[in-house]
Amino acid sequence: MTSRRLLTLMLLAAALPAAAQAAYRWVDKDGRVQYSDQPPPQEVKKFEERKVQPNKGNAQLPFATRKAAETYPVALYTGRECGKPCDDGRALLNQRGVPFSETKLETAEDVAAFKTRFGKEPFVPTLTVGRETEMGFAASAWNGLLDNAGYPAGKR
């Protein structure tokens, strides 16, 4: 095999995405929670196994977006019956290339956590940008929060 062909194969292999790996969680005999990439000892009968993808992080994002995301993380709260307002809010964030976490308020525990955090009844969609909050979808208000946090404007 020629060195050029070998180099090409090595580069292609390196470019392939890493396969999912297993992560295990269990409680040991002393009541301590254990985490490992190896299966638990055989005497442990109850454990969780999760497939974990490697964290690609925000390395592909523009610098301004990465910087804004570090300082002012974005969270979107949605609900089952939200429909178009939640879809429009999600679309706005995606259009601007804003990385965000989404929490769906589906259970009584989800609603209670929302009430505890915001001191109000849930209203979806709700957007948080750092410590700022906007309840309900209004493109101009959401864009204002994102602009103030330093997220690039993207296409509007």
Side-chain angles (χ1 to χ4, degrees):
M1 189 178 298
T2 68
S3 61
R4 177 178 241 167
R5 184 180 236 176
L6 181 61
L7 178 62
T8 302
L9 286 174
M10 288 174 54
L11 289 172
L12 284 173
L16 292 173
Q21 296 180 345
Y24 300 90
R25 178 188 180 274
W26 71 93
V27 178
D28 68 15
K29 63 182 172 100
D30 298 323
R32 292 182 301 225
V33 177
Q34 302 290 326
Y35 297 93
S36 177
D37 60 350
Q38 300 296 315
Q42 288 185 345
E43 64 267 10
V44 174
K45 301 296 182 210
K46 185 176 177 183
F47 62 91
E48 291 178 40
E49 178 182 359
R50 293 185 180 171
K51 297 295 181 192
V52 182
Q53 293 292 335
N55 183 1
K56 295 180 180 126
N58 293 335
Q60 306 291 30
L61 297 174
F63 175 77
T65 303
R66 288 194 319 263
K67 184 73 175 153
E70 287 172 16
T71 311
Y72 303 101
V74 174
L76 175 63
Y77 293 84
T78 60
R80 278 190 206 130
E81 306 292 323
C82 186
K84 185 167 174 33
C86 287
D87 293 342
D88 289 347
R90 198 177 296 110
L92 183 146
L93 295 172
N94 287 327
Q95 184 179 30
R96 284 189 65 155
V98 174
F100 64 96
S101 63
E102 183 172 346
T103 301
K104 295 181 180 179
L105 304 177
E106 296 179 331
T107 66
E109 291 82 16
D110 298 336
V111 171
F114 186 96
K115 286 180 186 178
T116 300
R117 176 158 187 213
F118 297 105
K120 298 178 180 180
E121 288 293 321
F123 190 88
V124 292
T126 291
L127 177 72
T128 63
V129 180
R131 294 184 178 173
E132 300 295 321
T133 302
E134 183 67 34
M135 293 188 173
F137 177 71
S140 59
W142 285 31
N143 279 317
L145 286 177
L146 295 167
D147 291 345
N148 290 340
Y151 285 95
K155 301 174 199 165
R156 289 195 191 166

